Amino acid sequence: MDRILVEGGKALRGRIEIGGAKNAALPAMAASLLTDAPLVLDRVPDVVDVGTMRRLLQMLGVEVRHPPAAAHRLVLHCPEVLETTAPYDLVRRMRASVLVLGPLLARAGRARVSMPGGCAIGPRPIDLHLEGLARLGAEIRLEGGYVEATAPRGLRGAVIRLPKPSVGATENLMMAATLARGTTVIEEAAQEPEIEDLARCLVAMGARIAGAGTKRIEIEGTERLHGGEHRILPDRIETGTYAMAAAITGGELELVGTRLELLGAAAEVLQEAGVELVAEGDRLTARRSPRGLVGTDVMTRPFPGFATDLQAQFMALMCRAEGAAMITETIFENRFMHVPELMRMGARITVHGPTALVRGVPELTGAPVMATDLRASVSLVLAALAARGETEINRVYHLDRGYERLEQKLAAAGASIQRLP
Ligand code: UD1
């Protein structure tokens, strides 16, 4: 298994290209199941999760082409759904595989998707996806670890009020509703930018959707969707991660191809914490403020609140701040696996239930560390970039799930970082 070695203490300087959002690309790829015409997606990041979704879709009957001349373009074409099962092996590897459930059910009238089970950041059930699909008329059974959903008479529009704003459930229901009879309203929908992006993709395919990006989404079903073209929005988590990399190393990075407003509340939190962010067109310059990093409290929230996917990176940043920061995780249980690893590097952190109290330290020191999820791993990379000495990060495959060419991007900005097989 690959490892990453970082020799810390180098201020990052230069430009980093921000890619398309993995979390927008995955549902948009699943949307290709909704039509028999080709869907062209641009700015699809080249990360392992995209590869996993591609394999799953191919099993279901989607032809996936990657035109050699266009590095981040995928052409997905599903003339006919050949298979309606998403097997355990793929769902276990990537929970977002569950996003094929709504589209399969809407197009083929049936879907069999393995229950995702537990993962490193908590139990993460899919009850909201299933309850919502049942409201649209699906019959749902659990059998042998699989969800078996059928819609023998097709789906029909309904009002669905989500008890909490789940991103995945909103996406699954929005996709299913595009081919349902009549109008669907999703209330208390998630408002993440990736949902608005998926809606744009579906509208390009002929769907009728209003309100995506707000709490109330209205979808008027149609009999058939056509093909379309869609460019995935920039990755806000990658943006926030590199902004913090600039600040934690005391350098300056120009982040190209992204937008400040995608960060939501994280933009203000980062600036308060001493990360200067200057937006100009599609560029964002990030640097440490002359007053240094300041301990800043934060609570993760659904968008536009502070993203749970930036929590681990922010914790690494706060390890080097002046004063203390109280970081509360409200979205996922058990999302503090990076804490003991950061402590091995000299961080002072106390965890009480969903809250971590981080006391800034004058120095972090390199150590061998390991992480168990995507964002936790990258938080260790940030800590390593700022640490004295060498850090060896194990289980790099987590990073590869969501960050394209991470070491190359950081190395080009002056980091001393290398991957060892
Ligand atoms: C998506 C993102 C993930 C991000 C998360 C929260 C993708 C591929 N992944 O995950 O990176 O961290 O949003 O912003 O886009 N819940 C239920 N029942 C359900 C569904 C969710 O109780 O049926 C709970 C979850 O356990 C969690 C909360 O709702 O506590 C939010 O989860 P959700 O928004 O669904 O996250 P994902 O879509 O899985």
Side-chain angles (χ1 to χ4, degrees):
M1 231 179 278
D2 290 3
R3 292 167 296 151
I4 282 185
L5 276 188
V6 179
E7 177 72 39
K10 308 236 166 32
L12 299 184
R13 289 191 195 284
R15 340 163 60 198
I16 287 185
E17 187 91 31
I18 300 300
K22 163 184 88 81
N23 286 353
L26 297 175
M29 290 172 73
S32 67
L33 288 166
L34 290 165
T35 172
D36 60 6
L39 173 64
V40 181
L41 297 177
D42 271 311
R43 193 155 61 184
V44 177
D46 187 9
V47 295
V48 168
D49 275 7
V50 163
T52 306
M53 181 58 87
R54 181 176 171 157
R55 269 186 27 232
L56 171 59
L57 292 174
Q58 282 169 327
M59 287 175 56
L60 303 177
V62 182
E63 298 154 13
V64 185
R65 275 195 311 117
H66 183 136
H72 291 100
R73 173 173 293 182
L74 284 184
V75 182
L76 303 114
H77 185 196
C78 183
E80 196 186 342
V81 174
L82 299 176
E83 168 64 61
T84 51
T85 297
Y88 177 61
D89 188 46
L90 289 179
V91 182
R92 179 177 58 84
R93 211 167 299 177
M94 183 183 73
R95 281 182 46 85
S97 308
V98 163
L99 292 170
V100 301
L101 183 56
L104 280 177
L105 197 56
R107 168 112 177 259
R110 58 188 314 119
R112 199 167 156 268
V113 173
S114 170
M115 287 286 283
C119 73
I121 59 175
R124 296 179 81 174
I126 56 164
D127 54 321
L128 305 179
H129 303 234
L130 302 183
E131 283 161 23
L133 292 171
R135 296 273 305 157
L136 296 178
E139 285 165 23
I140 290 171
R141 296 186 308 142
L142 295 181
E143 177 103 19
Y146 280 77
V147 173
E148 301 199 354
T150 51
R153 288 175 300 281
L155 297 172
R156 49 177 161 64
V159 177
I160 304 165
R161 190 183 186 85
L162 293 176
K164 63 164 110 161
S166 157
V167 174
T170 304
E171 292 168 343
N172 239 334
L173 296 171
M174 193 163 74
M175 288 190 279
T178 58
L179 293 181
R181 270 195 314 279
T183 304
T184 298
V185 177
I186 309 175
E187 292 177 347
E188 297 305 319
Q191 303 178 71
E192 269 64 6
E194 290 75 20
I195 291 180
E196 223 180 316
D197 199 59
L198 173 62
R200 271 194 292 272
C201 174
L202 294 167
V203 167
M205 297 164 69
R208 281 170 268 175
I209 303 176
T214 73
K215 282 185 178 186
R216 186 178 186 281
I217 306 179
E218 195 169 315
I219 306 117
E220 208 185 305
T222 145
E223 214 153 282
R224 196 178 163 270
L225 294 182
H226 49 71
E229 275 195 45
H230 175 68
R231 183 168 160 82
I232 304 291
L233 91 168
D235 195 315
R236 62 197 164 98
I237 307 303
E238 194 187 23
T239 303
T241 302
Y242 287 123
M244 289 190 256
I248 201 171
T249 62
E252 175 170 323
L253 290 174
E254 192 187 12
L255 308 177
V256 182
T258 189
R259 298 197 307 271
L260 183 62
E261 70 272 15
L262 292 174
L263 289 175
E268 284 112 76
V269 173
L270 288 178
Q271 304 202 67
E272 197 184 327
V275 185
E276 275 186 9
L277 297 170
V278 181
E280 210 189 313
D282 74 338
R283 276 146 216 265
L284 191 61
T285 304
R287 64 175 90 87
R288 187 193 294 174
S289 135
R291 66 187 162 90
L293 298 172
V294 189
T296 304
D297 297 348
V298 74
M299 199 180 259
T300 61
R301 288 312 225 176
F303 194 83
F306 189 96
T308 172
D309 285 352
L310 288 173
Q311 179 258 108
Q313 301 89 313
F314 189 71
M315 191 179 296
L317 186 75
M318 289 296 92
C319 288
R320 289 290 291 102
E322 189 68 40
M326 203 163 79
I327 300 179
T328 306
E329 173 59 59
T330 74
I331 308 291
F332 292 114
E333 295 167 37
N334 200 8
R335 203 172 193 179
F336 282 147
M337 290 89 54
H338 40 288
V339 169
E341 303 300 311
L342 289 170
M343 289 175 73
R344 304 191 66 245
M345 301 177 69
R348 285 180 65 205
I349 306 171
T350 318
V351 174
H352 287 291
T355 297
L357 182 67
V358 184
R359 293 182 175 86
V361 292
E363 179 177 84
L364 293 170
T365 49
V369 290
M370 178 177 90
T372 40
D373 89 38
L374 168 56
R375 310 304 171 182
S377 330
V378 85
S379 79
L380 299 176
V381 173
L382 294 190
L385 291 170
R388 176 170 55 81
E390 189 177 82
T391 299
E392 179 183 310
I393 299 156
N394 290 289
R395 298 209 182 166
V396 169
Y397 61 87
H398 288 296
L399 283 174
D400 296 334
R401 289 189 48 196
Y403 288 90
E404 182 174 331
R405 298 186 305 111
L406 177 93
E407 317 94 81
Q408 289 94 322
K409 288 186 183 185
L410 288 171
S416 163
I417 181 167
Q418 55 173 316
R419 179 183 293 242
L420 301 179

